[in-house]
Each structure stands twice: as C-alpha cells, then as structure tokens.
Amino acid sequence: MEKSWRKWFAFLIASTSLALTADAMCGLSAEAQEKRPTAQEVIAAIQEHVGVPWKTDTVDTFKAGNPVTRVTGIAVTMMATLDVLQRAEAKGQNLIITHEPTFYNHLDRPEGMDESDPVWKEKREFIEKNGLVVWRFHDHWHLRNPDGILAGMVKALGWEKYQNAENPHLFTVPETTLEKLAADVAKRLETPVLRVVGNPEMRVTKLALSPGSAGFQRETHALEMENVEVLLVGETREWETVEYAADAVTEGEKKALIVIGHVPSEQAGMEECARWLKTFVKNAPIEFVATKQPFWTPEKIMTRH
C-alpha cells in the first residue's frame, strides 16, 4: 500500500512539473512573440538610421499588408516578384523590403489595368492570404551617403580601389578590352544577358557606372565626358542612349555602352541593404532574397541539357 502511494505521489510531482514547464514555455513563447517588432517599428528604425531627412513626398511607403503586423522575418530584395514573395513566405519572412515597385509602375498603381486583371489579382491575394507586409525602400537608400545601391554594386564588381574620390560614379581600371570588361561584369553580377555597343577590341580604362535607369540626359552627359570611355547602365531606351552611343561609335569616337539590365545593375545594392539592416535590427531575422531573372541566351539552350 505504501509502495503504491509513493508511486502515485511521484507521478503527481512529475505531472505538476511538466505542467509548470509547459506553462513556462508558453509564457516564454508569448514573451518572445511580444518582443518581435512590428513592421512599422522596423521602418521607424530605418528612418532613424538612414542618415538623411525623411521626405514626405516619397515612394518609400507601405505597399501592402498591415504595418502593425509582428515581424517573424525580413526579406530584403530588389523586386518583390511573386516568386520572391513565395520564397519569403516559405521561410517565415512576413516583411518584404523591396527597392522597386511591387505592382508594375512607379507608384504601385498600374495605369490602364483593371483590378480584376488575373496576374495582379493573384499577387494581391497571395500577399493578403499569407499576412505579408510589403514596404518599398528606394528614394532614401539612394539619398544615403554613400548611395546604398552604388556602394553595394561597387563592392560586387570589386572596383573600390578604382573609384574616383570626387565622383563615386567614375572609375579608372587596369587596361582591358571592352569584350573582357563586359565578360567580367557579367560574371561578377551573375547575369547571363548583357548588351554592348562598341568595338569589342577597344582598349579601355575609364568607366562610368550608372545603375538603374538614370535617363537620356544624365547618360549622354556621362558619355560626353573626356574621362569616360565606357558607360555601364542598368536600362535605357533604344532610341535614346543606345542610338546616341551607336552614332558616337560610327563617328569614330572612343566610346562604348554596356547595358546590364535594371535588376542586375542594382541587386547587389539591396544585398548591401540587408547587411546594413542587421547592424541595428536585432529582434527579427534578416535575409537577402535575390530577384531571379528568367532570362537566358541562345548559347544556354545548347548547353543546358
């Protein structure tokens, strides 16, 4: 009888201990949940640390989701494509910080597109269904000193020691050919598609880098400079800077243009952003999520099997 009583008493103690442990774990879990910042708090921290006055007229705003959502993880990306959103959601990252628009134009309000458009509609529904929050970080990341995008791109290209101290967009590199320069850029930026205007055998040392889409005026002014032989841009209209560069080459000028593509010309800048965020956002895991470009070259068709 006494033995049976002792077993029952031991079982009671063990059960009580387990219950207290479970309660403690639930308490810790709830406490951890409460310590997670909201999306709005993360953005407030960015505004505090970016180092430039925050503009009221800016595209750097929430594009989707509820700003008071507790952040389980942060995905930093160049462009919040549906593929990026799906990969982020699968990893438990519910705050997506994107450099470029999510909904197809600069203000994330696609002109001439009905809200029932199946592609746009499915993307909005995916964000809502999975409780994602999307915020854009464009203007102020460029305004930062140094420009966050440019800094990341220079690091990815390995051009830090060649950068002009007075104009960070200019570089003097060891002499190479235009063809070798283009191949090296494609390799370092992991992009299979580049377009080049100019003589591939031209010897070059003086470069200008203009990530993204700077526009005809700034691009042609850069090409006009005596200390610029090659201008590297993200994207540009073919009847503008591309035609201008082609005419310069035809006229015998020592000029060339390399068109990288908008996403690969700025993507490393958002990887730099993820590294920067980790220095002051401590209560949520942060990961850079690359925007995949579904491009390939004809040569890849022949080799991918």
Side-chain angles (χ1 to χ4, degrees):
M1 186 74 175
E2 182 180 353
K3 189 175 182 181
S4 177
W5 180 85
R6 285 179 178 175
K7 284 184 178 180
W8 179 84
F9 185 69
F11 173 77
L12 180 62
I13 292 174
S15 299
T16 304
S17 177
L18 284 171
L20 289 171
T21 302
D23 286 344
M25 291 297 290
C26 287
L28 287 173
S29 178
E31 185 180 353
Q33 179 75 12
E34 284 302 311
K35 285 184 177 180
R36 289 174 180 166
T38 65
Q40 183 65 69
E41 288 170 341
V42 172
I43 303 317
I46 290 174
Q47 293 171 334
E48 180 184 349
H49 286 82
V50 72
V52 294
W54 200 261
K55 297 162 57 178
T56 54
D57 183 16
T58 178
V59 296
D60 294 354
T61 59
F62 286 100
K63 305 304 177 184
N66 189 343
V68 301
T69 300
R70 294 281 175 185
V71 175
T72 56
I74 301 173
V76 180
T77 191
M78 175 60 188
M79 191 178 293
T81 61
L82 182 57
D83 171 69
V84 165
L85 296 174
Q86 289 172 340
R87 285 187 282 139
E89 189 278 330
K91 291 186 175 183
Q93 299 158 345
N94 63 346
L95 173 59
I96 292 83
I97 296 177
T98 179
H99 186 64
E100 295 298 0
T102 304
F103 300 123
Y104 319 123
N105 83 348
H106 188 56
L107 298 178
D108 284 274
R109 294 192 296 270
E111 298 174 5
M113 181 179 288
D114 192 274
E115 289 195 6
S116 63
D117 175 87
V119 174
W120 185 18
K121 183 172 180 286
E122 183 172 332
K123 190 173 192 179
R124 296 197 313 269
E125 289 176 348
F126 181 85
I127 292 170
E128 183 177 357
K129 175 184 176 182
N130 292 284
L132 304 182
V133 182
V134 181
W135 183 76
R136 188 174 178 192
F137 193 24
H138 180 274
D139 298 346
H140 296 84
W141 190 232
H142 276 301
L143 288 171
R144 180 175 163 79
N145 187 20
D147 178 322
I149 292 293
L150 183 63
M153 292 306 301
V154 172
K155 186 178 294 184
L157 289 164
W159 290 357
E160 297 98 322
K161 60 185 176 182
Y162 308 130
Q163 196 168 22
N164 187 298
E166 296 180 0
N167 187 337
H169 289 270
L170 300 181
F171 306 84
T172 303
V173 301
E175 187 177 75
T176 185
T177 65
L178 178 61
E179 183 176 23
K180 288 180 180 178
L181 172 66
D184 185 61
V185 169
K187 181 180 179 180
R188 288 177 182 270
L189 301 185
E190 299 180 359
T191 178
V193 179
L194 287 182
R195 301 186 70 189
V196 184
V197 179
N199 178 357
E201 297 178 0
M202 183 175 80
R203 312 293 298 184
V204 299
T205 60
K206 303 169 185 176
L207 317 178
L209 175 62
S210 180
S213 181
F216 176 74
Q217 186 172 340
R218 282 184 287 181
E219 290 167 352
T220 52
H221 284 178
L223 271 170
E224 288 172 354
M225 296 171 66
E226 289 185 4
N227 57 347
V228 173
E229 297 164 332
V230 185
L231 172 64
L232 298 94
V233 301
E235 64 174 306
T236 186
R237 288 179 174 146
E238 294 204 9
W239 68 84
E240 294 182 346
T241 306
V242 173
E243 185 175 356
Y244 179 89
D247 285 348
V249 172
T250 301
E251 292 167 6
E253 297 189 34
K254 190 180 180 183
K255 299 290 181 180
L257 177 72
I258 297 178
V259 183
I260 301 169
H262 198 123
V263 168
S265 81
E266 293 193 308
Q267 181 138 256
M270 291 310 286
E271 189 170 8
E272 179 70 15
C273 179
R275 287 191 287 266
W276 173 71
L277 286 175
K278 290 176 182 178
T279 64
F280 60 89
V281 177
K282 302 298 184 180
N283 295 333
I286 300 167
E287 182 183 0
F288 169 69
V289 180
T291 302
K292 296 178 181 178
Q293 293 286 277
F295 302 145
W296 41 262
T297 63
E299 291 80 8
K300 293 229 174 210
I301 299 176
M302 304 298 292
T303 59
R304 64 182 180 182
H305 296 301

